[in-house]
Amino acid sequence: MEKLKFERLTKRRKKLVESLKESTNDRGIVLLFGNSMSPMNYKDNEYRFRQDSTFMYFFDFYEHADLAATIDLDSGEEIIYGDELTTDDIVWTGILPTIKNEAEKIGINKTLPRRNLEKTIKEALKQGRKIHYLPPYRAEHKLELIELLNIKESEIEARKSLDLIKAVVNLRNYKSEWEVSEIEKAVNISYQMHKNAIIHAQAGMKEYEVKAIISKTAQEMGAELSFPTICTVHGETLHNHHYHNTLENGKMLLIDAGAEISTGYAGDLSSTLPISGKFTERQKLIYDIVYKSHYAAVKAMKPGVPFKECYYTSCREIFNGLKELGLTKGDADEAVHAGANALFFQCGLGHMMGMDVHDMENLGEVWVGYDGVEKSTQFGIKSLRLARPLEAGFVLTIEPGIYFIPYLIDKWKAENKFSQFINYSEVEKWKDFGGIRNEEDYLITPDGYRILGNPISKKLEDVEALRS
Amino acid sequence: MEKLKFERLTKRRKKLVESLKESTNDRGIVLLFGNSMSPMNYKDNEYRFRQDSTFMYFFDFYEHADLAATIDLDSGEEIIYGDELTTDDIVWTGILPTIKNEAEKIGINKTLPRRNLEKTIKEALKQGRKIHYLPPYRAEHKLELIELLNIKESEIEARKSLDLIKAVVNLRNYKSEWEVSEIEKAVNISYQMHKNAIIHAQAGMKEYEVKAIISKTAQEMGAELSFPTICTVHGETLHNHHYHNTLENGKMLLIDAGAEISTGYAGDLSSTLPISGKFTERQKLIYDIVYKSHYAAVKAMKPGVPFKECYYTSCREIFNGLKELGLTKGDADEAVHAGANALFFQCGLGHMMGMDVHDMENLGEVWVGYDGVEKSTQFGIKSLRLARPLEAGFVLTIEPGIYFIPYLIDKWKAENKFSQFINYSEVEKWKDFGGIRNEEDYLITPDGYRILGNPISKKLEDVEALRS
């Protein structure tokens, strides 16, 4: 295990350096920050520690806060900066692995106190060398960059290293066999979280009680949540982090939740279930359309196919399905390219997944999911996080959905928007329907795709069977 | 309810302004920040939102991120700064209460976009007025203060408003009847968390499985955790956030966990239980000493008595109890004032509790728990967070413990430290014992004290009974 880790991480760093040596004329120092503890309501009352994913990708240290690392692109020198426990600390924490020891395990023999980072950076700046850093998403790192580089907050973004971003994305986007096996562990825990919720949810419970079952399943399996759980009887509210509604028969419950395991890898699944145990006839009609849309998109996936095309495939299925119900009209292809389907399907089809549930979102979707091609600003497709041609090794989610958002329906209707494609008088009848989403995680293989983990069947009758 | 909230919050703000008008010659603007979302591994993957406690104390807004408020000490004008949802936002979030509406409910009629805070502050600075702010514990607020006040990060601490700190502490330290009833709700959920863990913990389980039961109980009761749970078979490791050990018969499990309810108030309890269901004879001996120490301290509490004296009472009980076992020797009073007891009891007896589990720790223990009197630097008592004379309305924890820390025992023994008080040869025999702590929450009343919530009996036989 230790030997494999050593090889895995040294290889990744070697590739990073090689790639940067090719891409950048401006050699200098790569600076990567590990995360700090995040204070909740005072400094020492902290959220659970989450290491930065890129830092983990190259150095591991899943449980070690306040680290930083530099790689000198000329000399190749790698340094980890961090403060070892003092004898006073050890009284409170017990004896823990040292930074030095952990660094040696991944092939780095130089560790220095955290404050020495300043020296390295100032020295490099004095020599006119470039500091390659990633865009910071934590304010602590912004503060540190302001001090280290002697710049204003407003300059941080402009001075980030595009070469570094591209080099990191180009490594992390392609999952190794080992990574896929780690992701599958997380996905399988995620399935168990959903299964327990599907089995135990019942009318009369509060949403937060189901959410509690989901968290408990993750934790008792030794995992954490990869993102805040969505667990709502209002599936149409896409950013829903309120959990005080009561589950009622006749309604559906939409769950979007995933696990993160201790190597940092994530799962991300969604389920929609009927609270009474049986879908109503109306619910069956929409569920069926989402189901068809889902697997039409899945079947379209293979290396070389732009994911944007899979998205359009899923949109067409939704548009045509709703057409059969009289909610839409006209040519599906025309409608979905114009964006008319976005009245019902406002978000993307899926996203890259890895150590981050939206993998590398902090590095920019335009690099991760668009390979540098500018994103559309059209409502609907602008929320598509992944569009580029698929390649073997990509891991991604598939999660089309249909959402009846009363506010949006009112707005579009008032504007008479896309009235050539939408029968508003029919749509009105579905305004209180809610929303349906199912979600699974896939690997792109040389031949096509493979679903990850041991999935729960999304078939309508199978979901009902699991509920009974 | 709404009317009571209006009165409660307007009264608090009125008192704050009155108190500052008396204490400060330097009238100006009070600036209070609400908290932002804290990013986990990228900007939009966030930890659960926790509003700043002082902000909640004066303005509520438990669920509303990115707010700020100013109070003009001359004109009395109160302003809430925050950005209302855009029509684009509402598509994703559904229709939510507006900031304007929520502000009116607490008697504030002026709300402005968040960016307007800059205008208010720059205007006041131009007029040479003081900006009263609290020491920030979140890096986002440091970044903002740097921009607003045009200062360096290193100047932030020095320019905090001591007058504001003292005024806030002087309000929040005295809990109203309503606050006590809220705290009791949180304490009772905390008791349920412990009860479920005590009942379900068993040999063969992992610590994280018990931790999962604790979190689930909080969540299914509609609460959150007030701090990261400690759940460990190594009770002697005081800062223990690792959960991968297996529960084994013959060992004890130490749990320190509490709930936070949606008004922001916290509970904080600890339990130590025998994994087999029965304490061993050795465990009984130490448990008994901790028990006696606990209630000796409790009985010493009443208005006017410095909490430091309660601490020394608990220390003497521990010292004398261990003397009977042959581990200590000499005069207890002399020993505990010298700090010899800190070999076994390294931390404090308790701390203020309210909206923060360590109430207002961000404002400085020297103000909250010491009323401005300098803290001792002596190992042991330096970790005592509360020392000042008790007053009616204080809410605090009582949590003495005995911890056999092998590293510390080796260290002191090698230094021959306090050898007049400690029989190291006897202590050696207990090095693998672990640690015991029990913890309860109390209100100081005009006559003495009252335990909060419906406690679980800490009696040895009652704990064993609950386990069976």
Side-chain angles (χ1 to χ4, degrees), chain A residues 181-417:
Chain A
S181 79
E182 290 300 298
I183 292 171
E184 284 203 278
K185 287 180 200 165
V187 172
N188 278 329
I189 296 172
S190 308
Y191 274 119
Q192 197 55 52
M193 290 154 62
H194 282 253
K195 205 173 270 178
N196 285 351
I198 293 171
I199 291 169
H200 295 291
Q202 51 179 303
M205 284 172 87
K206 294 280 185 186
E207 292 161 343
Y208 59 70
E209 293 179 83
V210 183
K211 174 174 159 261
I213 293 169
I214 294 165
S215 309
K216 176 169 185 268
T217 306
Q219 289 197 355
E220 74 190 1
M221 295 178 83
E224 294 286 347
L225 300 178
S226 52
F227 60 95
T229 296
I230 293 173
C231 178
T232 179
V233 296
H234 285 291
E236 77 282 8
T237 308
L238 289 153
H239 291 184
N240 205 332
H241 294 128
H242 295 264
Y243 311 98
H244 280 77
N245 296 304
T246 304
L247 276 60
E248 287 169 24
N249 285 328
K251 295 257 176 193
M252 295 174 292
L253 183 69
L254 190 155
I255 295 168
D256 192 341
E260 172 188 300
I261 59 170
S262 65
T263 44
Y265 289 88
D268 179 9
L269 303 171
S270 302
S271 313
T272 305
L273 54 103
I275 292 166
S276 73
K278 296 278 174 196
F279 288 103
T280 66
E281 289 310 310
R282 274 161 71 95
Q283 287 164 356
K284 281 183 184 172
L285 293 169
I286 303 296
Y287 192 96
D288 190 49
I289 299 171
V290 174
Y291 185 89
K292 282 182 185 150
S293 165
H294 191 105
Y295 293 104
V298 167
K299 290 199 181 99
M301 293 195 296
K302 64 177 178 189
V305 173
F307 194 66
K308 197 189 212 174
E309 290 311 317
C310 304
Y311 166 75
Y312 280 126
T313 300
S314 69
C315 291
R316 274 190 302 266
E317 287 291 330
I318 286 172
F319 190 87
N320 282 328
L322 293 173
K323 197 153 108 181
E324 281 183 40
L325 301 182
L327 277 69
T328 57
K329 57 190 176 187
D331 182 69
D333 208 50
E334 224 178 284
V336 305
H337 279 92
N341 62 295
L343 181 60
F344 311 102
F345 179 27
Q346 299 81 13
C347 49
L349 172 66
H351 51 79
M352 295 284 205
M353 191 182 83
M355 284 183 147
D356 305 310
V357 67
H358 294 170
D359 213 21
M360 295 170 275
E361 191 167 291
N362 55 312
L363 303 185
E365 278 168 4
V366 73
W367 299 113
V368 179
Y370 282 74
D371 202 18
V373 177
E374 212 176 326
K375 285 182 71 173
S376 167
T377 57
Q378 179 180 288
F379 180 72
I381 196 172
K382 78 173 176 187
S383 300
L384 183 64
R385 302 177 188 281
L386 174 60
R388 67 196 283 173
L390 295 171
E391 296 182 60
F394 285 6
V395 167
L396 49 84
T397 66
I398 293 290
E399 48 179 315
I402 294 182
Y403 312 95
F404 289 90
I405 302 175
Y407 177 85
L408 187 64
I409 294 168
D410 290 346
K411 195 164 171 273
W412 278 31
K413 192 184 171 188
E415 296 166 9
N416 209 20
K417 194 163 173 177

Side-chain angles (χ1 to χ4, degrees), chain B residues 187-459:
Chain B
V187 172
N188 278 330
I189 295 172
S190 308
Y191 274 119
Q192 197 55 53
M193 290 154 63
H194 282 254
K195 205 172 271 177
N196 285 352
I198 293 171
I199 290 169
H200 295 290
Q202 51 179 304
M205 284 171 85
K206 294 280 186 186
E207 293 162 342
Y208 58 70
E209 292 179 84
V210 183
K211 173 174 160 263
I213 294 169
I214 294 166
S215 309
K216 175 168 186 268
T217 306
Q219 288 197 355
E220 74 190 0
M221 296 178 83
E224 293 285 348
L225 300 178
S226 51
F227 60 96
T229 296
I230 293 171
C231 177
T232 178
V233 296
H234 285 291
E236 78 282 7
T237 308
L238 289 153
H239 291 185
N240 204 332
H241 294 128
H242 296 264
Y243 312 98
H244 281 76
N245 295 304
T246 304
L247 276 58
E248 288 169 23
N249 285 329
K251 294 258 176 194
M252 294 174 293
L253 183 69
L254 190 155
I255 295 168
D256 192 341
E260 173 187 298
I261 60 171
S262 64
T263 46
Y265 290 89
D268 179 9
L269 303 171
S270 301
S271 313
T272 305
L273 54 103
I275 291 165
S276 72
K278 298 279 174 196
F279 287 103
T280 66
E281 289 310 309
R282 274 161 70 96
Q283 287 165 355
K284 281 183 184 174
L285 293 169
I286 303 296
Y287 192 96
D288 191 50
I289 299 171
V290 174
Y291 185 88
K292 282 183 183 150
S293 165
H294 191 104
Y295 292 104
V298 167
K299 289 198 181 99
M301 293 196 295
K302 65 176 177 188
V305 173
F307 194 67
K308 197 190 212 171
E309 290 311 317
C310 303
Y311 166 74
Y312 279 126
T313 300
S314 70
C315 291
R316 273 191 304 265
E317 287 291 331
I318 286 172
F319 190 86
N320 282 328
L322 294 174
K323 197 152 108 179
E324 280 182 40
L325 302 182
L327 277 69
T328 58
K329 57 190 176 185
D331 181 68
D333 208 49
E334 226 179 284
V336 304
H337 280 91
N341 62 294
L343 181 60
F344 312 102
F345 179 26
Q346 299 81 12
C347 50
L349 173 65
H351 51 79
M352 295 284 205
M353 189 183 84
M355 283 182 147
D356 305 310
V357 69
H358 294 169
D359 213 20
M360 294 170 276
E361 191 167 291
N362 54 313
L363 303 185
E365 279 169 2
V366 71
W367 299 113
V368 179
Y370 283 73
D371 201 18
V373 177
E374 212 178 324
K375 286 183 70 175
S376 167
T377 57
Q378 180 181 286
F379 181 72
I381 195 171
K382 78 173 176 187
S383 300
L384 183 64
R385 301 177 189 281
L386 175 59
R388 66 196 286 172
L390 295 170
E391 296 182 61
F394 285 6
V395 166
L396 49 83
T397 66
I398 293 290
E399 48 179 313
I402 294 181
Y403 312 96
F404 290 91
I405 303 175
Y407 176 84
L408 187 65
I409 293 168
D410 290 346
K411 194 164 173 273
W412 279 30
K413 192 182 170 188
E415 295 167 10
N416 209 21
K417 194 164 173 177
F418 293 128
S419 57
Q420 70 275 40
F421 297 122
I422 294 167
N423 281 325
Y424 283 105
S425 58
E426 284 303 308
V427 171
E428 280 286 337
K429 298 176 190 164
W430 294 79
K431 250 170 84 175
D432 65 346
F433 179 86
I436 291 179
R437 170 167 73 256
N438 286 315
E439 180 181 13
E440 296 175 317
D441 304 324
Y442 288 87
L443 167 71
I444 303 303
T445 62
D447 302 328
Y449 62 86
R450 177 165 81 72
I451 191 164
L452 293 175
N454 304 308
I456 304 173
S457 166
K458 293 295 177 196
K459 273 194 194 133

Side-chain angles (χ1 to χ4, degrees), chain A residues 21 69 108 116 129 157 176 227 237 273 337 342 377 408 439:
Chain A
K21 280 188 170 174
I108 297 183
N116 284 50
R129 301 179 72 195
E157 174 65 17
S176 71
F227 60 95
T237 308
L273 54 103
H337 279 92
T377 57
L408 187 64
E439 180 182 11

